Amino acid sequence: MAAIFGWFLFMELFGADEQSANRTSTAALYSGTFVWEKADGTSEEIKVPGRYRVPAGETMVLTTTLPDNYDETAFAIRSSLQDVKFYIGGELRAEYSTKETRLVGKNSASRFVFCPTSYKDAGKELRLELTTYTSNYSGVVNSIYCGDQSAIWQIIFHQYAPTTFIGFFVLFSGMTIILFSMILGFLYHIDFDMEYLGWCMTMGAVWLLGESKLRQILIPNASALSSLCFVMIILCPIPLLLYADSIQNGRHRRMYLIAGGIVLANFAISSVLYSTGMKDYIEMLPLGQIILAAVFVMVYVHLFQYLHKSKYHTDRLLLVGLLLIMVCVTIESASVYFVTSVSGIFTGIGMIILLFVNVVRTVRGIQHMEDMRQQQELERKQKQTEDMTLQMMRTLAATIEGKDRNNCGHSIRVAEYAALIGKRLGLSSEEIENLKDCAYLHDIGAIGIPDQILSKPGRLSEEEYALMKQHTLIGAHILKDITLVPHLVEVTKSHHERYDGTGYPEGLSGAAIPLYARIVAVADSFNAMHSRRIYRNALSEDQIRKEFSESAGKQFDPRISAILLDLMDEGHLEDVTSKYKEMENSLYMDSNHTINKFISDVFTTIKSQEDITSYDFLTGLPLRTLGEKQIACAVQDHNGCLAFVDMDNLKKINDVHGHKAGDRALMTLGKLLARFASNGYACRLGGDEFLLFFPDITHEEASEHMTQLFHQFHVLTRDDAEIQYASLSAGLYMCSGNEPFPDCSSKADNALYYAKQNGKNQFSFYQPQIDHLSTSVSGAGNNLTQIAKSLQDSGSYMGALNLDYRDFARQYSYIHQLVIRNHCRCYLIMLTMESTGETSPSIEKAEQALLQMEEIIRKSIRKIDIYTRYSSMQYLILLFQPLESAIPNIMDRIFMQYESFDCSKEFRPIYDYQAMSEEEHKKY
């Protein structure tokens, strides 16, 4: 990339100028002569551009005669704080003055003024009047252009655009630096000196743009920008002083405050004079430039004293950059008094160089701060990690102990007892703290022992005791990589060693047992004797003394055992025992909201992860195991309504439209049930079955809930062509809090069975008489007569019998047996809907065509015939004992009726048929 960029710069600097072919160069400058008509009546031929002695406020009149072959379209001149008038042939053709539009000030802003001309003006006199009210620009005559207005602008743009571009770049850079410095200040909580440099650059950029010859096309009010240009020069020392003060950390702040006050006073006085029309900013500019120069010199001297001995090259480069910008500003400031226009290119280049140097310096400073911050953060995190690790291990040990409420606080008390023994042994405060840390974690290996062994209310068997002894090795293995606490592993591993060598796990004896382990062994045993257990009460003090006296030299170190007895006699151990809860609270007070909560959250998270696997990802409802558990608990605590809900026709949807459609139906129902059960419970039992519980509602409220549920499910599915067959059936039971859940569930299930037996798409409440149907012989015949009549009434329908595919298959098997047994002639017909277009129609149109075809089939074939929907675009028809010759007539009649519908244009029906008892197969 560097090579490519270098090649680009080389071509731009030394390559051919491809713009020159289309550029109207100096030919646009007017070549005629101008005569100055003086106020005393004399005249003088002058050169243009130039500057002549004209008093401020006096109008300078220039005249020229246009050539006889003149055919240009415009004259143009740049006014320098001047009012301009163009007369051609004595007629006022163009005028520029801001007297009526400017709010303050006494001069019009500098700008290019254009006068329209044409070939009709050939040979006429052109009269130009220039008026200014400041001596700085009185008598100034700038270049006069003649030609096409666009060509004149092209020349102006070519001459002055680079400076304008530099101004915009400096403005963008300055604003970016300010924003970047603010962000850095917010992140690092310090002020960056680069921010003040950004303000310097922004003010310098405003000055560059204010001096731009193109400003009249940049903004609508060039006068305001012209005034702002001078304001920037006056106020520029302020951010410069802040910049220097920030670099030197306030070393000369008092002097800088005085200088800043002088700058603000000069600005206030100049603004008052400008607002009253007494003076323009340009007339007050020399004082502002003197102040700026003095500030520059003062700042440079101070920074030179502060930075010239710096070990960083960027600080020395900063001095060079400041010196360069001082030279550039001096050149620009001085040029105001010798030339009528200032490009500002030197100041712009100087600012860019200073920007580069300061960015490098700031980056170096940020890197240094980052190094320091990272080092401090590393040390802080290391200390925090050590503390957190110890707290976590202590809390984990306390959590393990918490499984047995009689053992709660065991490690805390053992640590306090051990600390008292260590102090009597002459251990240092640091060694005592290490000893306490070891005591806190001495039983951490119990995490690997089953709860039924730890909490067994009786003596352990040999196998259980052997497993229990493993906790020392498990604890040592857990802590083997922990180096924060000296002696931690040896205490965890050896605190059950006996002084006579009969302990475990290694059978160490005497001084071979680490000192810390011998101390913890005594403290641990005392706490065990002094505490209540599941299988025994706490021992008395006399019993404890007897145990330690008899076990000294056998189980315990005699010296440590004697110290413990002395502490008992002095009452220090009893003080620990009575205050252990207070010590426990103080020990874990800071960690209750961090480590304890962390471990609690870990176990909660593990439990929640187990629960997540108990949720149905399709419907979002709990699965059977979790859902029934939740509902069973709710049924025990509340009265309410338990509902078994079954989705009807799910298999038909899966068979005809595929499992994606079935999944969509289940998803729709799942979301609906979740919404209805927002104050209750819902779960998916499996397949198309769901279970709901509405706590604390009445029979009427439950009925209203289910009515709304059925209605909303119908609304959600009726417009979906693939799942519109779905409907609901439900069985409800009003539970009371003293009934077991299995009984409630069974009764709701019975109610669902009753609802489905009496037709789908309805719900039924459980009634006790459903389970106690009469079985008396006397009423059987009467009941059977009623059932027969009910079946006849319920089976009354118009047209053929429409079955789902499973029932159709059963009927087909039954009829096939009749065909074989009675030699009947039955035919199976497959009707297929084929698309007539090149593109597939929408599902909605296809479903509409199929529904219309189904209605035609139902009305066109006999009641003894049956049909079913076989696939998304096919029907199966079973004709019972027709004449084979009549089959084409039957199908033609069906097709003719279908053709009367609009959808017949998009789908064309065809059919195949074959006899059930034959292998023949015919297609039409």
Side-chain angles (χ1 to χ4, degrees):
M1 289 302 297
I4 294 174
F5 186 67
W7 167 82
F8 172 77
L9 291 178
F10 177 82
M11 293 301 296
E12 291 300 317
L13 293 174
F14 304 105
D17 187 357
E18 296 175 355
Q19 292 181 336
S20 60
N22 299 319
R23 188 185 303 143
T24 309
S25 58
T26 55
L29 293 174
Y30 182 65
S31 59
T33 59
F34 279 91
V35 176
W36 175 19
E37 303 291 344
K38 298 182 180 180
D40 58 3
T42 61
S43 59
E44 175 185 348
E45 184 176 322
I46 61 173
K47 293 183 178 180
V48 177
R51 184 167 186 170
Y52 304 94
R53 294 182 177 274
V54 177
E58 181 178 310
T59 301
M60 184 177 186
V61 180
L62 305 178
T63 61
T64 186
T65 301
L66 300 178
D68 294 334
N69 60 347
Y70 180 81
D71 61 354
E72 303 294 348
T73 60
F75 259 85
I77 186 173
R78 175 173 172 79
S79 73
S80 295
L81 300 181
Q82 299 164 323
D83 295 338
V84 180
K85 292 183 179 180
F86 279 96
Y87 294 88
I88 298 181
E91 174 190 359
L92 179 63
R93 186 69 60 86
E95 179 181 10
Y96 167 66
S97 175
T98 62
K99 183 177 181 180
E100 302 297 330
T101 58
R102 65 178 179 262
L103 298 178
V104 291
K106 59 182 181 179
N107 288 303
S108 300
S110 302
R111 63 170 291 163
F112 284 97
V113 182
F114 286 83
C115 174
T117 62
S118 67
Y119 68 92
K120 296 179 182 180
D121 298 327
K124 295 182 180 180
E125 180 187 64
L126 183 145
R127 178 186 177 91
L128 179 63
E129 296 182 358
L130 306 173
T131 307
T132 184
Y133 301 95
T134 177
S135 59
N136 297 69
Y137 291 107
S138 180
V140 172
V141 182
N142 293 316
S143 298
I144 299 177
Y145 300 89
C146 175
D148 182 71
Q149 185 169 344
S150 61
I152 296 173
W153 272 118
Q154 183 179 359
I155 293 174
I156 295 171
F157 190 82
H158 178 71
Q159 291 177 343
Y160 304 114
T163 305
T164 305
F165 290 153
I166 290 176
F168 276 115
F169 176 77
V170 174
L171 177 64
F172 174 77
S173 301
M175 296 179 68
T176 302
I177 288 173
I178 293 172
L179 181 61
F180 183 64
S181 300
M182 289 181 175
I183 294 174
L184 289 177
F186 176 78
L187 293 176
Y188 291 97
H189 306 289
I190 61 172
D191 293 330
F192 281 82
D193 50 64
M194 193 168 63
E195 178 182 349
Y196 305 115
L197 175 63
W199 286 112
C200 290
M201 294 185 65
T202 301
M203 297 177 74
V206 172
W207 176 71
L208 287 173
L209 295 175
E211 286 292 339
S212 171
K213 308 306 180 291
L214 304 177
R215 67 187 178 197
Q216 69 190 79
I217 63 175
L218 299 179
I219 58 174
N221 193 331
S223 299
L225 183 58
S226 176
S227 301
L228 190 61
C229 170
F230 297 109
V231 171
M232 292 299 102
I233 295 177
I234 295 173
L235 292 179
C236 187
I238 292 180
L240 182 61
L241 290 169
L242 293 173
Y243 175 63
D245 182 66
S246 177
I247 291 178
Q248 301 172 84
N249 300 317
R251 175 176 295 187
H252 302 286
R253 182 166 297 170
R254 183 177 180 84
M255 185 180 298
Y256 291 166
L257 288 174
I258 295 173
I262 295 173
V263 172
L264 293 175
N266 178 49
F267 169 69
I269 295 172
S270 300
S271 298
V272 170
L273 295 177
Y274 176 70
S275 301
T276 57
M278 298 175 61
K279 293 283 186 180
D280 263 355
Y281 277 125
I282 192 171
E283 296 176 282
M284 300 294 294
L285 189 61
L287 179 59
Q289 291 174 331
I290 292 173
I291 295 174
L292 177 60
V295 169
F296 255 123
V297 173
M298 177 178 64
V299 165
Y300 187 80
V301 171
H302 289 164
L303 289 179
F304 181 82
Q305 294 173 346
Y306 185 76
L307 297 176
H308 80 284
K309 294 182 179 180
S310 174
K311 62 180 180 179
Y312 298 108
H313 296 293
T314 51
D315 290 339
R316 291 192 285 271
L317 287 175
L318 180 62
L319 291 174
V320 175
L322 286 171
L323 180 60
L324 179 62
I325 197 68
M326 286 179 58
V327 173
C328 294
V329 171
T330 301
I331 295 174
E332 298 283 1
S333 301
S335 65
V336 173
Y337 302 100
F338 301 102
V339 296
T340 58
S341 63
V342 180
S343 67
I345 191 169
F346 293 105
T347 301
I349 294 174
M351 287 183 178
I352 293 173
I353 294 174
L354 186 60
L355 167 65
F356 174 77
V357 173
N358 207 80
V359 166
V360 174
R361 182 175 180 273
T362 302
V363 169
R364 190 265 304 165
I366 293 175
Q367 183 180 6
H368 177 70
M369 285 189 295
E370 274 296 308
D371 291 341
M372 295 294 295
R373 187 187 66 82
Q374 289 178 6
Q375 181 63 29
Q376 294 174 355
E377 184 69 13
L378 183 62
E379 294 174 357
R380 186 186 67 81
K381 285 187 175 181
Q382 185 175 359
K383 180 65 167 62
Q384 185 181 33
T385 301
E386 294 176 357
D387 294 341
M388 185 176 295
T389 301
L390 289 175
Q391 287 181 351
M392 186 175 296
M393 290 188 295
R394 293 173 187 173
T395 306
L396 185 58
T399 303
I400 298 168
E401 293 170 359
K403 295 178 180 180
D404 180 3
R405 62 183 181 180
N406 294 317
N407 201 36
C408 186
H410 166 73
S411 295
I412 300 174
R413 293 190 295 273
V414 170
E416 294 300 323
Y417 298 148
L420 292 175
I421 296 172
K423 187 174 182 180
R424 289 293 179 93
L425 288 172
L427 299 181
S428 66
S429 58
E430 182 180 355
E431 290 173 327
I432 292 174
E433 285 301 316
N434 289 336
L435 176 61
K436 291 176 66 175
D437 288 334
C438 294
Y440 289 137
L441 303 174
H442 73 282
D443 272 340
I444 196 171
I447 195 172
I449 307 303
D451 290 346
Q452 59 267 30
I453 296 178
L454 293 174
S455 305
K456 185 176 180 180
R459 290 187 174 276
L460 300 178
S461 66
E462 293 184 3
E463 294 78 10
E464 290 171 338
Y465 184 64
L467 184 59
M468 185 67 181
K469 291 193 294 184
Q470 295 296 314
H471 82 277
T472 57
L473 296 175
I474 294 173
H477 179 74
I478 292 174
L479 301 175
K480 67 179 186 302
D481 295 324
I482 304 299
T483 59
L484 304 176
V485 181
H487 313 292
L488 181 59
V489 174
E490 62 189 41
V491 169
T492 305
K493 185 178 182 180
S494 303
H495 71 278
H496 280 289
E497 298 286 358
R498 295 171 64 94
Y499 199 75
D500 60 6
T502 60
Y504 63 87
E506 296 179 317
L508 302 178
S509 62
I513 305 172
L515 175 62
Y516 283 18
R518 282 178 273 156
I519 296 174
V520 171
V522 170
D524 185 28
S525 297
F526 172 79
N527 184 73
M529 298 176 191
H530 197 262
S531 302
R532 184 178 182 273
R533 290 289 183 261
I534 298 176
Y535 51 88
R536 65 160 173 82
N537 292 323
L539 301 183
S540 65
E541 289 192 3
D542 291 338
Q543 290 175 312
I544 294 174
R545 286 191 178 89
K546 181 180 179 181
E547 286 287 336
F548 274 99
S549 297
E550 293 178 352
S551 299
K554 297 178 182 178
Q555 181 177 353
F556 307 119
D557 184 323
R559 182 185 175 195
I560 298 175
S561 180
I563 292 175
L564 181 82
L565 293 175
D566 291 342
L567 291 171
M568 283 185 64
D569 294 338
E570 296 168 5
H572 296 302
L573 299 184
E574 187 60 34
D575 293 339
V576 171
T577 303
S578 62
K579 296 179 181 179
Y580 85 93
K581 289 186 178 180
E582 180 181 348
M583 292 186 292
E584 178 184 0
N585 291 335
S586 64
L587 176 64
Y588 292 109
M589 184 65 67
D590 294 335
S591 62
N592 268 338
H593 302 292
T594 53
I595 305 304
N596 280 353
K597 185 176 182 303
F598 168 74
I599 294 179
S600 176
D601 289 345
V602 168
F603 286 105
T604 302
T605 302
I606 294 172
K607 182 66 171 61
S608 64
Q609 291 298 321
E610 294 175 354
D611 289 344
I612 287 175
T613 61
S614 298
Y615 277 81
D616 177 31
F617 291 103
L618 181 62
T619 62
L621 299 175
L623 292 173
R624 184 170 197 141
T625 303
L626 177 61
E628 284 191 337
K629 179 180 178 181
Q630 294 175 342
I631 294 175
C633 293
V635 167
Q636 290 178 350
D637 297 334
H638 301 273
N639 296 333
C641 179
L642 185 67
F644 261 98
V645 179
D646 185 83
M647 181 191 291
D648 302 321
N649 301 320
L650 178 62
K651 186 178 186 309
K652 180 177 180 180
I653 294 172
N654 287 332
D655 290 343
V656 175
H657 297 289
H659 287 278
K660 287 187 177 180
D663 288 348
R664 192 163 69 254
L666 289 170
M667 192 181 305
T668 301
L669 179 57
K671 292 180 179 178
L672 185 61
L673 293 179
R675 190 164 70 248
F676 266 80
S678 58
N679 295 323
Y681 303 87
C683 72
R684 183 181 180 188
L685 297 177
D688 54 5
E689 296 180 342
F690 298 83
L691 185 63
L692 288 83
F693 180 66
F694 302 104
D696 304 320
I697 64 172
T698 63
H699 186 284
E700 292 73 17
E701 291 172 337
S703 180
E704 178 64 23
H705 273 46
M706 297 309 295
T707 302
Q708 293 179 7
L709 173 64
F710 276 50
H711 172 70
Q712 292 190 26
F713 183 70
H714 174 67
V715 171
L716 291 173
T717 58
R718 67 185 177 188
D719 296 329
D720 192 323
E722 293 184 344
I723 65 173
Q724 60 182 344
Y725 305 111
S727 62
L728 300 179
S729 297
L732 287 72
Y733 177 67
M734 300 303 298
C735 308
S736 60
N738 56 359
E739 288 186 273
F741 172 73
D743 291 349
C744 298
S745 175
S746 176
K747 292 175 182 178
D749 192 23
N750 289 338
L752 173 62
Y753 175 78
Y754 179 80
K756 293 178 76 69
Q757 287 299 311
N758 287 273
K760 301 178 180 179
N761 197 25
Q762 62 179 320
F763 63 89
S764 174
F765 282 90
Y766 173 78
Q767 298 295 335
Q769 58 267 29
I770 295 177
D771 286 345
H772 304 285
L773 294 175
S774 175
T775 58
S776 63
V777 177
S778 60
N782 186 36
N783 288 341
L784 185 59
T785 302
Q786 293 178 357
I787 292 171
K789 186 176 184 303
S790 175
L791 287 172
Q792 183 178 355
D793 293 340
S794 64
S796 178
Y797 57 88
M798 296 296 295
L801 180 61
N802 178 16
L803 301 174
D804 62 29
Y805 183 75
R806 182 180 297 177
D807 292 336
F808 183 89
R810 294 193 186 102
Q811 292 292 332
Y812 180 88
S813 176
Y814 172 74
I815 294 174
H816 188 263
Q817 294 298 322
L818 290 178
V819 169
I820 296 173
R821 181 180 295 271
N822 299 321
H823 304 288
C824 302
R825 297 286 293 177
C826 295
Y827 293 87
L828 181 64
I829 301 173
M830 176 178 283
L831 189 151
T832 304
M833 305 292 285
E834 290 187 343
S835 174
T836 59
E838 295 181 358
T839 59
S840 300
S842 65
I843 293 176
E844 288 75 12
K845 290 183 177 180
E847 194 64 25
Q848 181 183 3
L850 286 162
L851 290 175
Q852 290 172 347
M853 177 58 75
E854 179 178 333
E855 182 68 15
I856 294 170
I857 294 172
R858 187 177 66 82
K859 293 180 179 181
S860 299
I861 61 179
R862 302 166 299 172
K863 289 187 176 182
I864 60 174
D865 302 324
I866 61 175
Y867 71 95
T868 188
R869 179 115 172 232
Y870 175 66
S871 70
S872 60
M873 299 299 290
Q874 291 177 315
Y875 284 96
L876 289 177
I877 305 172
L878 187 58
L879 300 181
F880 187 76
Q881 288 191 323
L883 295 174
E884 182 175 359
S885 60
I887 293 177
N889 296 332
I890 295 172
M891 301 309 296
D892 289 343
R893 184 168 65 251
I894 292 173
F895 290 177
M896 287 176 64
Q897 293 183 54
Y898 172 74
E899 290 174 357
S900 64
F901 292 97
D902 294 337
C903 58
S904 63
K905 299 177 182 179
E906 298 184 357
F907 296 94
R908 177 175 62 89
I910 62 172
Y911 72 94
D912 300 346
Y913 79 90
Q914 72 177 25
M916 292 179 61
S917 58
E918 301 176 5
E919 299 299 328
E920 59 181 292
H921 178 79
K922 299 185 180 182
K923 181 175 182 180
Y924 296 88

